[in-house]
């Protein structure tokens, strides 16, 4: 199963191959992303070919979300 998220670049309008920039992810199924923590690395795909590698800098939950389990 894929872990899908909307992605947007914080500083630039787009990223070219080899570029770096902070991005934000809005997971479509947040429960599938809860295992991630700052420092984790994961591969990002736009197609079947890897589009880049991401490092988690910060994790935020939606305001008012109850994740007490």
């Amino acid at each position: 199963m894929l872990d899908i998220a909307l992605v947007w670049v914080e500083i630039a309008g787009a990223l070219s191959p080899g570029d770096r920039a902070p991005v934000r992810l809005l997971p479509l199924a947040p429960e599938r992303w809860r295992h991630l923590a700052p420092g984790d690395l994961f591969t990002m795909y736009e197609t079947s070919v890897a589009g880049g590698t991401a490092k988690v800098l910060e994790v935020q939950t939606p305001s008012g979300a109850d994740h007490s389990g």
Side-chain angles (χ1 to χ4, degrees):
M1 177 180 264
L2 296 176
D3 298 323
I4 299 171
L6 300 173
V7 178
W8 65 95
V9 181
E10 288 286 297
I11 297 170
L15 292 177
S16 297
D19 285 353
R20 293 176 166 219
V23 300
R24 293 195 181 261
L25 302 176
L26 178 61
L28 300 183
E31 65 279 1
R32 298 199 35 87
W33 294 73
R34 289 196 181 117
H35 66 282
L36 292 174
D40 287 349
L41 298 174
F42 63 95
T43 303
M44 297 177 63
Y45 293 85
E46 186 174 355
T47 66
S48 62
V49 177
T53 301
K55 180 178 182 180
V56 178
L57 301 177
E58 179 181 14
V59 176
Q60 296 182 355
T61 56
S63 298
D66 180 9
H67 298 289
S68 58

